[in-house]
Amino acid sequence: MSDGLEEKIAQYGRRLYGLCIKLCGNRYDADDLYQETWLRVCTGIGRYDPLQPFEPWLTAICVNCFRDSLRRRKFERLIAAPDDGEACESAVSSLPDAQEDAELWEAVRGLPEAYGTVVILHYFRGYDVRELSRILKIPEGTVKYRLHRARKLLKGVLSDG
């Protein structure tokens, strides 16, 4: 499988890394997410159905890894000393590349995780509702609701600024 995996990394690696950057908001965390995603691909390749497209399966693994990292961070914050606000400033200052609209990215990063994830995958990665339903393992109606709700939240935040 290593030969096949090298081909998959060559074919999908750049897009996967772009998704990692968009989800994490900084290169340091994106590097970790990228590596963890490929590690899970290696260990879970036996569960991949070759009759299905590879990229949505890869994206689902990446999103699940991202969710796991968020859960770990929440747990670590519960144990750690109270935050002095530096982490929030750091997150905002490490938003994606300068060519992106900083205000939009700040608004997207401020959305609840469920909404932010569907916005990034739909509007910035081009997945349709059906694909998102499969990737996120939620009904299509839930995907549509989250997109609708996210648009309303973003409109409110962006029109206030």
Side-chain angles (χ1 to χ4, degrees):
M1 177 60 202
S2 65
D3 290 339
L5 182 60
E6 288 175 15
E7 290 173 12
K8 298 292 188 196
I9 292 172
Q11 184 175 359
Y12 298 105
R14 187 177 175 115
R15 282 185 53 85
L16 176 65
Y17 190 72
L19 174 60
C20 292
I21 289 285
K22 291 199 185 310
L23 289 172
C24 294
N26 67 71
R27 294 194 184 281
Y28 177 78
D29 291 334
D31 289 346
D32 289 343
L33 179 59
Y34 182 82
Q35 291 175 0
E36 178 66 23
T37 300
W38 284 116
L39 180 64
R40 287 198 194 174
V41 166
C42 288
T43 59
I45 197 69
R47 292 187 300 273
Y48 169 63
D49 178 1
L51 299 176
Q52 298 298 317
F54 184 79
E55 191 170 16
W57 184 73
L58 177 65
T59 300
I61 291 173
C62 182
V63 168
N64 289 333
C65 287
F66 177 68
R67 286 178 173 167
D68 290 348
S69 72
L70 289 178
R71 279 189 218 100
R72 279 192 302 274
R73 284 190 194 135
K74 286 179 187 176
F75 179 73
E76 289 167 0
R77 275 190 240 131
L78 287 174
I79 301 172
D83 188 5
D84 62 0
E86 282 183 37
C88 183
E89 282 183 42
S90 171
V92 171
S93 67
S94 65
L95 290 170
D97 302 329
Q99 76 254 19
E100 302 289 347
D101 182 350
E103 183 181 6
L104 173 62
W105 272 107
E106 185 174 347
V108 170
R109 302 283 301 152
L111 290 172
E113 182 228 335
Y115 300 143
T117 300
V118 296
V119 165
I120 289 169
L121 292 175
H122 182 69
Y123 292 107
F124 298 99
R125 300 304 291 181
Y127 288 103
D128 65 27
V129 170
R130 177 173 286 149
E131 291 170 320
L132 286 173
S133 174
R134 274 198 325 263
I135 289 168
L136 300 173
K137 295 179 176 72
I138 58 176
E140 289 182 26
T142 303
V143 173
K144 290 177 185 176
Y145 170 78
R146 288 181 183 177
L147 286 169
H148 173 76
R149 184 74 181 127
R151 282 191 300 267
K152 285 183 82 168
L153 291 170
L154 288 171
K155 183 177 179 183
V157 168
L158 295 172
S159 67
D160 288 345

